[in-house]
Amino acid sequence: MDTMLCDELLQEIFKRLPSTPSAALSVSLVSKRWLNLYRSSKTSLSLRFLPHNSMLVSFSSLLSYYPSLSSLSLVLSDSITNANSSTATAFTDHLLFIVSSSCSNLHHLRFLVGPVSVSSLFSLSRSCSQLTCITVSLSKPLYLSWVVSFPCLKDLCLYICPNGVNKFGSLLNEELDAEFGLETLFLSGIQAGDEGLGWLWRNCKRLKKLQLKNCASVGDGESFSSFILCVKGLQEVDLRKCRSIVDGVLLKLAENCGSLNSLLVYDGGSKEGLLEFINTCRCNLQKLDLRLPLDLNNTHLLAVAMNLRHLSTLKLQSCCLVTGEGLNTLGTALYNSLEELALINCDVVEREIGLLATLGQNLRMLRKLDLSYNELLVDKELTSMLISCNNLTDLKLRGCRKITGVTLFSMSKNIKCLQSVDIMNCPGIEAEAVEFLVLNCSQMRQMVVEENKVSNIARTWALHKVIEVTSG
C-alpha cells in the first residue's frame, strides 16, 4: 500500500490535511516515506520551545525536513534567563541566521524569540527577499532603516524591548528618506522620548492599517510631528492600552484622515477626546469597536447616532455607563445600516427589561449578533429579540449562563438563515437542545459547543449536512 500512490499525489493530499498534531502523527505511523513527503509538502510551521544553546543544532536539522516553508512562527515558551542582553541577542541572532539559511522561500515570519540585532535583519533580507510579513522584537535605541531592505514587505509588527545592545543605535536613521510599501504596521511598547520613529512615520505614506498597543507615545518630539504624515491614508486604526496618546491620535485622525473606515479603542482614552473625534471626524466610519468601561456613556452614543449614520458594525465591551436610552436612540438612527452588533459583558443587557426586544424591532438589517458573557441574560429577553432578527447569519452567546434550550428552539423556528452559532460555556443548554438545533437549521455551517453536548445523532447529522462542530 505504501507504494501504490506516487510522491506527487501524496504531497497534494497532505497539503489538504489540517495542521494539527493528530494529523502529523497519523501520517508518521504509516511509513518513513509518508512522513518525509508530509514534511516536504508543508508550507507553514509553528514552533514553541525553551531557550537553550543545545537546541540550535537540532533546530537546523529540523528545518532541513521542511524545504517548502513559506510561513514560519517561532515563539519562546519562557524568557531567556540567567543571561545578559548581549548573550540573549547572540542566541536570537544565531537562531535567525539558521532561519535565513534554511528557509529562502519565506513570505511570513513571526520571530518572537527575543530582541534581534540590525545586522541579523540585514542578513535576513539578503536570504529571504520575498518576505511580505515580519514580526520581530527590537532593542533600543531604534534603528529602522533595515525595513527598506525588504522590497516586498507589506506587514510589519514590532515589539519594542526596554533594554538592549543595538550597536547601530548611534546612527539613528540618518539615511535619506526612502518611501516604502508598508500597508499594515503594528507597534508595541513605545515610550516617550524613543528616537528613530520619525523616519518610519515619514516613509509610511501608503499605510492602510495602524495598530498600537501598550504605547505611551509615538516617539520623541520630532517623531510626533512626522506621525501626522502617515495618517492621511489610513483605513483602519487599533489602539489598545494606549491611554496617554489616544486623545492625540484621535485628534490627528479627525483633522487629517478622510479615509478611515474602522476604529478600535480598548482600555484607554478620555470621554472628551472620544466625543471630540465623533463630532469632528470627516471620514465615513463603517466599524466602531470600543472597550471603555468608564469612558463611554450615552453622550457618545447620541453623537454616534447624529454623526456616524453609515455605521455597519458596532461592538461595545464592558461599557458600564451605557443605558437603554442611548442604545435605543442608536438603534433608531442606524436602523437602515447596522449589520453587526456586539454587546459583550454589558450589564445594560441584563439590567433593562425589554431593551433587546426594542433593538430587534429597530435593527432589522442585523446579520451578526454577539451577546457573549452576559451571564444573567435570560431566555425571555433574548427570544423577544430573535423573533424580529430573522436575517441573522451569525449568533454568539458564549458565557451566557442563564440561557437554556428554549433559546435554541426559538432560533431554529425564527432564524432560517443562521449559519454560525457559538454556545460555549452555557451550562443551561443540554445535548437534546443542541441535537434539535442541528436537525432543524438547514443553513447551519458552524457550531461551537462542548463535545459532551454533541450526541451521536447530532454528530452524524452534522457530517451529513457539512456542519463544522468545534469546541474552540
Side-chain angles (χ1 to χ4, degrees), residues 126-147:
R126 290 189 290 269
S127 301
C128 303
S129 59
Q130 300 179 67
L131 277 167
T132 60
C133 178
I134 297 176
T135 299
V136 292
S137 299
L138 297 178
S139 298
K140 299 178 185 180
L142 297 174
Y143 178 76
L144 300 172
S145 293
W146 55 267
V147 176

Side-chain angles (χ1 to χ4, degrees), residues 410-433:
S410 176
M411 287 161 52
S412 62
K413 178 181 178 181
N414 297 295
I415 313 177
K416 301 301 182 181
C417 301
L418 192 63
Q419 298 177 11
S420 176
V421 63
D422 185 343
I423 47 176
M424 279 289 293
N425 302 323
C426 297
I429 295 177
E430 299 179 348
E432 181 183 0

Side-chain angles (χ1 to χ4, degrees), residues 322-368:
V322 168
T323 71
E325 179 185 357
L327 287 173
N328 283 328
T329 301
L330 200 60
T332 303
L334 302 179
Y335 76 97
N336 201 34
S337 64
L338 200 66
E339 297 181 357
E340 181 174 358
L341 175 65
L343 299 172
I344 302 171
N345 190 30
C346 291
D347 60 355
V348 62
V349 172
E350 308 160 355
R351 188 176 64 239
E352 302 202 17
I353 298 175
L355 170 62
L356 291 183
T358 305
L359 287 176
Q361 292 167 8
N362 288 328
L363 300 174
R364 301 279 181 154
M365 300 295 290
L366 273 187
R367 298 292 184 271
K368 297 181 179 181

Side-chain angles (χ1 to χ4, degrees), residues 86-201:
S86 298
T87 304
T89 302
F91 174 83
T92 56
D93 283 355
H94 194 171
L95 206 59
L96 189 58
F97 174 76
I98 293 173
V99 171
S100 61
S101 302
S102 307
C103 308
S104 58
N105 295 320
L106 279 184
H107 287 76
H108 302 265
L109 175 62
R110 184 170 179 254
F111 192 84
L112 295 178
V113 179
V116 297
S117 69
V118 172
S119 58
S120 66
L121 289 167
F122 276 119
S123 177
L124 179 68
S125 69
R126 290 189 290 269
S127 301
C128 303
S129 59
Q130 300 179 67
L131 277 167
T132 60
C133 178
I134 297 176
T135 299
V136 292
S137 299
L138 297 178
S139 298
K140 299 178 185 180
L142 297 174
Y143 178 76
L144 300 172
S145 293
W146 55 267
V147 176
V148 183
S149 302
F150 293 91
C152 301
L153 192 61
K154 300 295 183 183
D155 190 332
L156 179 62
C157 179
L158 299 178
Y159 289 84
I160 312 302
C161 303
N163 301 310
V165 289
N166 187 349
K167 60 184 179 182
F168 286 82
S170 60
L171 297 177
L172 289 178
N173 306 311
E174 292 178 355
E175 289 82 352
L176 295 175
D177 288 353
E179 184 177 331
F180 37 79
L182 271 186
E183 295 180 356
T184 300
L185 178 62
F186 171 94
L187 296 173
S188 175
I190 302 174
Q191 300 299 315
D194 284 353
E195 299 177 310
L197 288 158
W199 179 87
L200 185 64
W201 297 131

Side-chain angles (χ1 to χ4, degrees), residues 356-425:
L356 291 183
T358 305
L359 287 176
Q361 292 167 8
N362 288 328
L363 300 174
R364 301 279 181 154
M365 300 295 290
L366 273 187
R367 298 292 184 271
K368 297 181 179 181
L369 177 64
D370 189 348
L371 297 174
S372 298
Y373 301 108
N374 290 296
E375 296 188 352
L376 300 181
L377 178 62
V378 296
D379 292 318
K380 182 179 179 181
E381 290 300 307
L382 179 55
T383 55
S384 66
M385 181 180 192
L386 298 183
I387 291 173
S388 302
C389 296
N390 47 25
N391 290 318
L392 282 179
T393 61
D394 190 306
L395 178 60
K396 295 180 180 179
L397 301 172
R398 178 177 294 232
C400 294
R401 304 185 67 82
K402 295 288 187 179
I403 296 299
T404 71
V406 172
T407 292
L408 270 60
F409 298 142
S410 176
M411 287 161 52
S412 62
K413 178 181 178 181
N414 297 295
I415 313 177
K416 301 301 182 181
C417 301
L418 192 63
Q419 298 177 11
S420 176
V421 63
D422 185 343
I423 47 176
M424 279 289 293
N425 302 323

